[in-house]
């Protein structure tokens, strides 16, 4: 897109939030990013939670954790700028070690990724010897390195089923684990919260107490209140929400699956139980449909990345992801095994 096309797009989707002068500055910044991107032979990946001015202008690819991991693995560019949080950029580096991988903020953490350490995983493995470990992609490389296979919100059930194992350790998201346990008919326990006794040794899923601080905020009561005033609303929830919230919803899936569902099913009135910038992005592409909002629930880590940060990342080569090769090789096996599942 050239400057005029970019400004026109930004005006259509954001003129109620920004002045004309502010939109012009954003369009100029998008042009500067496109120029430096070419100079550095870079690709820009944008997670679905990026704010609308960024999401709709500079990324070469947008998507969920699974889709962007695949884009990172397939690119022939020298530099990958990952507009998402640090664990996502790390996954790109795990898959493409020869590339320079940049995350445009050094404050883009994640409450799930910081909920568990490699030592925690080793302890669980010694408590439950021989039980395969499935780790959500929202973890750091040293945790992935202790893992048999990774999963994302888009393939968690398939990954667990692919193991053909009666028992599985599923880390670190308590709610995603609860949702997958329900889908796969497994009984779940949490040794990090409850004492494990002998009767528990035949459990089928062993979970951890990690939570996404964004999705943890949604409740069944929220859904009931909205349904009371809008009986025709369709409710979509990310599987990082509590199992009872997912049960009370009409559809649950990864961020990209939610976007596709709204588009392909021509939903006219819907409630999203996920990060709010994604709501803005969906609304921009589907302006004639009615999106109901509970409140503005923004991920504070995703929110660290704005257009200017991408320019600075490419200009100053910051913040570069590095992973010790020994850890990367082990983590690669678990990510690659997931990608083989399809
Ligand atoms: P997706 O893989 O569904 O994009 O989710 C990533 C994430 O961090 C959700 O909070
Ligand atoms: Fe982590 Fe939740 Fe933010 Fe996703 S929305 S990056 S899981 S804190």
């Amino acid at each position: 897109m050239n400057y005029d096309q970019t400004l026109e797009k930004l005006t259509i989707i954001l003129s109620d939030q920004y002045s004309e002068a502010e939109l012009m500055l954003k369009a100029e910044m998008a042009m500067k990013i496109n120029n430096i991107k070419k100079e550095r032979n870079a690709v820009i990946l944008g997670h679905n939670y990026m704010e609308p001015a960024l999401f709709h202008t500079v990324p070469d690819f947008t998507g969920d954790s699974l889709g962007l991991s695949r884009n990172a693995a397939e690119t022939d560019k020298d530099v990958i700028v990952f507009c998402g949080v640090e664990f996502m950029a790390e996954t790109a580096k795990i898959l493409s070690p020869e590339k320079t991988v940049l995350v445009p903020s050094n404050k883009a953490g994640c409450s799930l990724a910081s909920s568990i350490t490699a030592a925690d995983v080793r302890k669980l493995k010694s408590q439950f010897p021989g039980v395969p470990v499935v780790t959500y992609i929202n973890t750091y490389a040293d945790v992935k390195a202790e893992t048999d296979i990774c999963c994302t919100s888009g393939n968690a059930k398939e990954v667990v089923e692919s193991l053909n194992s009666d028992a599985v350790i599923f880390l670190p998201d308590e709610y995603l684990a609860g949702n997958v346990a329900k889908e796969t008919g497994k009984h779940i326990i949490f040794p990090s919260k409850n004492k494990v006794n002998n009767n528990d040794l035949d459990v089928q899923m062993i979970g951890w107490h990690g939570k996404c601080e964004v999705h943890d905020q949604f409740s069944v009561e929220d859904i009931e209140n909205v349904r009371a005033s809008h009986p025709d609303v369709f409710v979509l929830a990310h599987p990082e929400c509590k199992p009872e919230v997912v049960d009370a919803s009409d559809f649950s899936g990864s961020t990209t699956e939610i976007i596709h569902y709204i588009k392909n099913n021509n939903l006219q009135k819907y409630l999203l139980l996920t990060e709010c910038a994604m709501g803005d992005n969906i609304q921009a592409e589907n302006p004639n449909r009615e999106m109901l909002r509970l409140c503005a629930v923004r991920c504070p880590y995703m929110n660290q990345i704005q257009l200017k940060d991408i320019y600075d990342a490419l200009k100053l080569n910051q913040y570069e992801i590095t992973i010790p090769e020994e850890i990367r090789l082990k983590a690669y096996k678990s990510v690659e095994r997931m990608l083989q599942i399809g």
Side-chain angles (χ1 to χ4, degrees):
M1 279 191 297
N2 64 27
Y3 174 82
D4 288 341
Q5 290 163 329
T6 306
L7 183 60
E8 192 186 338
K9 186 157 196 189
L10 289 175
T11 305
I12 292 169
I13 60 176
L14 290 170
S15 56
D16 54 339
Q17 287 175 48
Y18 296 99
S19 68
E20 201 185 330
E22 284 171 313
L23 292 176
M24 285 164 79
L25 284 176
K26 286 182 189 295
E28 277 163 28
M29 183 51 75
M31 293 304 102
K32 281 176 77 175
I33 292 169
N34 285 343
N35 289 340
I36 195 167
K37 181 174 81 172
K38 269 194 211 114
E39 275 167 34
R40 293 214 53 194
N41 193 28
V43 63
I44 299 180
L45 308 180
H47 186 262
N48 291 323
Y49 289 169
M50 287 296 104
E51 58 95 11
L54 185 165
F55 186 83
H56 293 284
T57 55
V58 293
D60 297 288
F61 299 98
T62 55
D64 60 10
S65 308
L66 182 60
L68 294 177
S69 308
R70 292 190 190 283
N71 297 139
E74 285 161 12
T75 185
D76 58 359
K77 302 287 184 193
D78 298 328
V79 180
I80 299 172
V81 184
F82 210 120
C83 302
V85 291
E86 189 182 334
F87 75 78
M88 295 178 178
E90 266 197 1
T91 307
K93 186 72 181 176
I94 289 167
L95 290 166
S96 300
E98 74 289 359
K99 316 247 179 239
T100 299
V101 179
L102 304 174
V103 61
S105 165
N106 59 359
K107 297 193 186 77
C110 168
S111 64
L112 274 173
S114 59
S115 72
I116 192 159
T117 65
D120 293 327
V121 186
R122 285 193 288 272
K123 191 168 165 210
L124 281 169
K125 288 199 287 192
S126 65
Q127 237 177 318
F128 300 95
V131 178
V133 181
V134 178
T135 296
Y136 192 28
I137 198 115
N138 295 38
T139 46
Y140 293 117
D142 57 342
V143 168
K144 289 188 174 83
E146 295 293 338
T147 297
D148 293 288
I149 184 165
C150 283
C151 73
T152 71
S153 60
N155 63 15
K157 179 172 177 264
E158 288 73 20
V159 166
V160 168
E161 286 173 344
S162 77
L163 294 170
N164 276 325
S165 172
D166 288 341
V168 171
I169 299 174
F170 190 105
L171 309 169
D173 186 345
E174 172 175 339
Y175 299 151
L176 180 64
N179 286 317
V180 176
K182 274 192 171 176
E183 280 185 290
T184 54
K186 291 191 186 310
H187 162 217
I188 186 165
I189 59 146
F190 295 92
S192 54
K193 294 209 289 192
N194 314 111
K195 221 170 154 237
V196 178
N197 59 44
N198 285 342
N199 297 337
D200 283 329
L201 292 177
D202 65 349
V203 291
Q204 297 158 323
M205 194 179 272
I206 296 122
W208 188 249
H209 58 257
K211 292 185 186 69
C212 162
E213 65 186 63
V214 174
H215 292 92
D216 193 26
Q217 294 179 50
F218 301 114
S219 68
V220 173
E221 207 189 343
D222 291 331
I223 300 178
E224 286 169 353
N225 288 341
V226 174
R227 286 202 199 276
S229 44
H230 300 273
D232 53 342
V233 71
F234 192 92
V235 183
L236 304 104
H238 194 276
E240 288 171 12
C241 292
K242 298 173 188 85
E244 58 271 28
V245 169
V246 168
D247 277 353
S249 306
D250 301 306
F251 176 81
S252 178
S254 77
T255 53
T256 292
E257 286 168 337
I258 289 176
I259 292 169
H260 287 170
Y261 196 93
I262 292 170
K263 205 172 182 178
N264 298 338
N265 291 281
N266 199 20
L267 296 184
Q268 291 305 316
K269 190 189 279 189
Y270 57 92
L271 171 70
L272 274 186
L273 300 181
T274 191
E275 212 274 345
C276 69
M278 184 167 115
D280 294 335
N281 293 332
I282 295 175
Q283 180 115 67
E285 272 163 17
N286 304 277
N288 299 326
R289 311 201 192 167
E290 191 180 351
M291 181 177 66
L292 302 178
R293 286 182 184 272
L294 286 172
C295 57
V297 186
R298 182 78 173 108
C299 172
Y301 312 106
M302 294 280 184
N303 197 33
Q304 297 295 325
I305 301 168
Q306 312 291 324
L307 281 169
K308 170 83 165 64
D309 303 298
I310 304 177
Y311 179 76
D312 290 346
L314 283 164
K315 180 100 187 142
L316 305 170
N317 205 49
Q318 66 187 23
Y319 294 89
E320 188 169 358
I321 300 288
T322 56
I323 305 171
E325 185 61 4
E326 186 196 331
I327 302 234
R328 189 197 69 79
L329 283 172
K330 285 193 196 161
Y332 177 82
K333 281 192 195 154
S334 63
V335 177
E336 181 54 23
R337 189 169 169 194
M338 169 189 83
L339 291 177
Q340 291 304 324
I341 286 183

